[in-house]
Amino acid sequence: MTDKVIEVSNLEKKFDKTIALKKVDFSVERGEVVGLLGANGAGKSTLLQILSTLIIPSSGEAKVLGKNVQSDPLYVKKHIGLLFGNDTGLYHRLTAYENISYFAEFFGVPQSIYDQRIKDWAERLQLTPHLHKPAGALSKGNHQKTAIIRTLIHDPDIIFFDEPTTGLDISASLSFQDLLKDLKAEGKTIIFSTHIMEEVEALCSQVIILQSGIVSFQGTLTKLYETMQTNNLTEVMRKVIGG
Amino acid sequence: MKAIWLIFKKEILEQFRDRKTIFNALLLPVLMWVGIAFATDRFAGDSSNFSQSDTSLDYKVAVTSAWSKTDQDQFTKMSGIKTYIAKDPAKEVKEGKSNVYIDLDKNTKQMKLYVSDKEPNPVLITQIENYVYKLNQSKLSPKESKNQFKLITSKTQGKENTFLKIYQGFAMFNIIIAMTPLIAGSAIATDAIAGERERGTIRSILSLPFSATTIWSGKWLAVCFYSALSVIISFSIYSGIQPLLKNPTLNISWLKALPIHFHIGLVILLLLYIGMCAALLLFVSTFAKSYKEAQGYYTPVLLVPGGITFYIGFGMQGQETLSHTFFFIPFSNIQSVVYEGAAQSLTFSHLLLAIGSSFVFIVLMIWISASLFKQPKRMLAN
């Protein structure tokens, strides 16, 4: 029996005269890691913002954990983690630790638990020496690491990452990939958008390709390679995007 | 409630680390009110000199019917003061129409000067004394001392200057409480929403599992906290500096005359007023598309209570009670309460009306602002 945690049907989003998403349909099962691929402006961020209840769809329906994102946003927000790579949303006057613990308290995580989680993940992402520095004084990479820990601090069931490795160096990117593998092993459902094809090949069980707001492909990587008659994802994307 | 507390805690912590906030909410009141205290001290000194030297011909003195037209003309010519004949001159002084009245007994050569016991005017009295002296020195009067005019001065019941009394009790006290929450709260309110939008942190806040009203209320409480702190600092500084001044300008003696339940009502009203200012400022911050736009709206916002202070302070001309309408209108309500308090005519129903209208305004502002705050198009658009 399948356990669909994300169900999207006929989803449309218009910004004035611009159509950002058009009749989007897909579903994601529990424990899947889904790569959301597409050119800039294809609608990836819009889709993630609708799924995380930040913006309202123009029509259609999106369900997360069986709850409609429009009618039950608080339930959805409670069970998801959200990270936008280009805009970490950290408070510059608060330290990295305060930024994370502040969100942990919002989600009702006890201090003993969040302190341990912060310690573990900071070590893993090499953030420990910077935990008590103001976020405004951190490098872009450390900013991103802080935001990643903040996203995971309440142990969400579903995680949305929008270009999460933007600004990370190779070492931190690899640490992040290891972290995602562990989350996958724990049974977390992850949707992440990226332009780095190696990440997709290493982590994703499924991919969704968006083209001008339309889902042009959804399925496993194997299926994608068969369809596109190549074993190289970069080549696939070049064909799809037309670069 | 926990979420409101957490938002409040975060705002307090974050703002406390911002030099701009420390300056606006805590340091600016200290500098501003010390400066204003010394400036008003000098102004009060200068204006009292000005009023004492005011010997305008427009000033009219009531005289008895014993004065002939010739006597009146001669008096005006020699003293520079106009006169008018009153049927009941004592009543004229009692009603404040004239500051003194003068009776004349030509047979005994006595000029009787009756001076208001509430507001004696020493300059006027000196001028009248000078007139008698000049009269006795002139050709009109024989040089023998027995034939010379004598001036006998005594007091009569006068009228208190209600405008001055109300103005002194109303002006500075009202300005401190009306302006400080807006001045101190503006920087914090701008940063709390327009600032978060600009820095991109608003998306993190909106991704929390709490309603827009909850998040907005937490921010509102933080603005209220800093504004209240600023009012306390401002009032303490201004009242603390009064003993050092030659002409103290803060008169809160009327507060002491009020019963305890009025005091409780005034504290509630003051807290609601601070809440009202915070709600308005935060509404502006929610409405504005950028930090700069929000700052642009604050000047007209500050002019609202300033204009009301001017209107009530000068426009009411010492009228002791105000109409109910003043107590319904937000921002006018607290100032009207202070005005009637200073006039010692404040009724409990007016106080309750002001409290009620402030409460309604706050609820309305929170509702409207939270409705704007949850619009993703407004909040997330860059």
Side-chain angles (χ1 to χ4, degrees):
Chain A
M1 191 183 148
T2 57
D3 182 10
K4 288 179 181 170
V5 288
I6 297 171
E7 294 164 276
V8 174
S9 58
N10 254 338
L11 196 70
E12 289 204 345
K13 180 66 189 174
K14 286 177 192 165
F15 293 107
D16 298 322
K17 287 176 184 173
T18 314
I19 299 171
L21 293 174
K22 196 176 176 187
K23 300 214 181 289
V24 171
D25 282 288
F26 70 90
S27 62
V28 176
E29 288 178 22
R30 187 179 294 278
E32 277 190 324
V33 178
V34 179
L36 194 56
L37 309 179
N40 288 334
K44 302 189 297 290
S45 296
T46 304
L47 179 60
L48 291 181
Q49 290 194 78
I50 290 175
L51 290 176
S52 53
T53 79
L54 286 176
I55 58 174
I56 302 158
S58 306
S59 63
E61 191 182 50
K63 281 183 177 177
V64 173
L65 292 166
K67 303 280 181 185
N68 190 305
V69 293
Q70 264 183 282
S71 58
D72 226 334
L74 297 187
Y75 179 87
V76 174
K77 281 175 180 175
K78 216 175 258 181
H79 293 87
I80 62 167
L82 178 66
L83 171 71
F84 289 91
N86 57 351
D87 189 1
T88 55
L90 294 183
Y91 291 99
H92 285 206
R93 289 175 221 136
L94 304 183
T95 64
Y97 173 83
E98 284 167 343
N99 266 288
I100 302 164
S101 60
Y102 170 52
F103 271 66
E105 284 180 22
F106 269 117
F107 285 97
V109 183
Q111 192 178 352
S112 56
I113 293 175
Y114 73 65
D115 270 346
Q116 191 56 47
R117 282 181 187 163
I118 292 172
K119 196 182 162 213
D120 292 346
W121 283 328
E123 268 173 29
R124 204 158 170 178
L125 294 169
Q126 298 112 45
L127 187 68
T128 312
H130 310 287
L131 266 180
H132 295 285
K133 288 180 187 169
L138 297 178
S139 66
K140 200 178 174 194
N142 286 332
H143 238 252
Q144 193 72 350
K145 290 174 190 173
T146 309
I148 289 168
I149 301 174
R150 191 182 66 176
T151 305
L152 302 173
I153 196 69
H154 59 291
D155 194 23
D157 298 323
I158 299 170
I159 306 155
F160 300 121
F161 288 120
D162 190 5
E163 298 178 23
T165 48
T166 307
L168 292 184
D169 57 27
I170 295 170
S171 158
S173 286
L174 292 172
S175 301
F176 176 70
Q177 282 185 28
D178 289 341
L179 190 75
L180 281 193
K181 281 175 191 166
D182 287 351
L183 293 169
K184 186 182 176 183
E186 282 174 31
K188 303 285 182 202
T189 308
I190 302 166
I191 297 188
F192 78 100
S193 77
T194 182
H195 292 294
I196 303 166
M197 295 305 128
E198 291 81 3
E199 282 179 358
V200 181
E201 284 176 326
L203 299 164
C204 297
S205 46
Q206 263 209 80
V207 287
I208 294 170
I209 300 175
L210 277 171
Q211 267 184 293
S212 307
I214 299 167
V215 175
S216 61
F217 177 84
Q218 187 197 356
T220 60
L221 272 173
T222 318
K223 191 180 160 192
L224 179 67
Y225 292 149
E226 279 173 16
T227 312
M228 302 304 285
Q229 294 172 335
T230 172
N231 277 342
N232 185 323
L233 190 57
T234 311
E235 189 62 30
V236 171
M237 289 312 291
R238 200 169 281 157
K239 282 184 181 175
V240 169
I241 298 165
Chain B
M1 278 311 282
K2 198 191 168 197
I4 293 179
W5 165 246
L6 284 171
I7 297 268
F8 169 76
K9 205 171 82 174
K10 172 250 150 194
E11 289 293 332
I12 294 294
L13 185 66
E14 210 199 352
Q15 296 297 343
F16 198 68
R17 288 186 189 162
D18 184 22
R19 282 186 303 181
K20 197 168 69 246
T21 306
I22 299 297
F23 178 79
N24 276 291
L26 311 175
L27 199 61
L28 183 65
V30 176
L31 298 173
M32 188 174 78
W33 293 115
V34 167
I36 290 177
F38 283 107
T40 50
D41 181 37
R42 281 199 65 169
F43 177 75
D46 290 347
S47 25
S48 91
N49 291 339
F50 175 75
S51 68
Q52 285 190 7
S53 64
D54 182 13
T55 56
S56 164
L57 275 168
D58 290 339
Y59 198 89
K60 280 189 174 180
V61 166
V63 293
T64 58
S65 52
W67 286 61
S68 67
K69 179 78 174 74
T70 318
D71 294 331
Q72 283 181 271
D73 290 344
Q74 182 191 300
F75 180 80
T76 303
K77 197 178 165 190
M78 292 175 76
S79 66
I81 302 165
K82 287 179 183 173
T83 57
Y84 69 98
I85 293 174
K87 275 185 185 172
D88 185 353
K91 196 178 163 193
E92 296 291 298
V93 178
K94 195 177 174 183
E95 289 175 356
K97 290 176 187 164
S98 176
N99 191 254
V100 297
Y101 79 88
I102 314 170
D103 193 9
L104 181 65
D105 190 339
K106 286 179 184 167
N107 298 325
T108 58
K109 297 275 183 186
Q110 277 187 353
M111 195 174 281
K112 292 176 186 167
L113 174 67
Y114 295 90
V115 180
S116 163
D117 59 353
K118 296 286 185 316
E119 203 187 1
N121 185 337
V123 177
L124 183 64
I125 295 166
T126 308
Q127 277 183 282
I128 295 167
E129 285 169 351
N130 284 345
Y131 162 73
V132 177
Y133 175 77
K134 281 183 201 169
L135 184 68
N136 287 332
Q137 295 298 310
S138 71
K139 291 174 187 173
L140 296 168
S141 179
K143 295 292 172 228
E144 295 84 22
S145 61
K146 65 175 182 182
N147 289 321
Q148 294 215 324
F149 279 92
K150 280 179 191 161
L151 183 72
I152 299 162
T153 309
S154 52
K155 284 191 174 172
T156 184
Q157 194 184 349
K159 191 188 176 201
E160 198 170 26
N161 187 335
T162 51
F163 172 73
L164 203 64
K165 184 189 84 176
I166 296 170
Y167 186 78
Q168 282 172 345
F170 168 78
M172 287 316 296
F173 179 73
N174 184 64
I175 287 171
I176 293 170
I177 59 167
M179 304 305 284
T180 311
L182 289 171
I183 295 168
S186 61
I188 302 149
T190 316
D191 199 71
I193 294 181
E196 283 222 27
R197 264 191 65 179
E198 212 148 285
R199 292 190 298 272
T201 49
I202 202 82
R203 189 155 54 184
S204 311
I205 282 277
L206 292 173
S207 70
L208 292 170
F210 303 109
S211 70
T213 311
T214 304
I215 297 168
W216 199 91
S217 303
K219 286 175 177 289
W220 170 72
L221 270 183
V223 180
C224 289
F225 174 80
Y226 274 107
S227 298
L229 196 64
S230 193
V231 169
I232 293 168
I233 292 172
S234 301
F235 194 74
S236 307
I237 291 284
Y238 200 80
S239 54
I241 218 160
Q242 293 300 300
L244 306 174
L245 306 177
K246 284 181 190 165
N247 304 287
T249 44
L250 185 69
N251 178 6
I252 48 167
S253 54
W254 59 270
L255 272 173
K256 292 172 193 162
L258 292 173
I260 186 75
H261 61 286
F262 274 74
H263 283 168
I264 295 167
L266 282 172
V267 171
I268 293 170
L269 181 61
L270 179 60
L271 291 175
L272 284 171
Y273 178 72
I274 289 169
M276 215 161 72
C277 292
L280 180 68
L281 293 170
L282 218 47
F283 165 75
V284 170
S285 185
T286 313
F287 176 77
K289 285 178 182 161
S290 67
Y291 193 93
K292 214 170 175 180
E293 189 184 332
Q295 283 182 317
Y297 291 131
Y298 287 139
T299 309
V301 166
L302 278 169
L303 285 174
V304 171
I308 293 169
T309 302
F310 192 79
Y311 182 75
I312 295 176
F314 293 102
M316 292 301 109
Q317 288 293 321
Q319 189 181 311
E320 291 195 356
T321 52
L322 300 175
S323 82
H324 299 323
T325 317
F326 283 91
F327 299 86
F328 276 114
I329 304 167
F331 296 95
S332 157
N333 51 13
I334 189 168
Q335 300 199 34
S336 303
V337 163
V338 174
Y339 180 92
E340 281 201 348
Q344 287 168 351
S345 60
L346 178 64
T347 58
F348 200 61
S349 59
H350 274 173
L351 184 58
L352 288 178
L353 210 56
I355 289 173
S357 59
S358 299
F359 185 76
V360 169
F361 181 83
I362 289 174
V363 171
L364 204 67
M365 271 289 151
I366 292 180
W367 183 74
I368 295 170
S369 303
S371 306
L372 287 177
F373 191 64
K374 66 182 170 194
Q375 284 179 13
K377 198 177 171 185
R378 179 172 287 278
M379 285 298 123
L380 299 175
N382 291 313

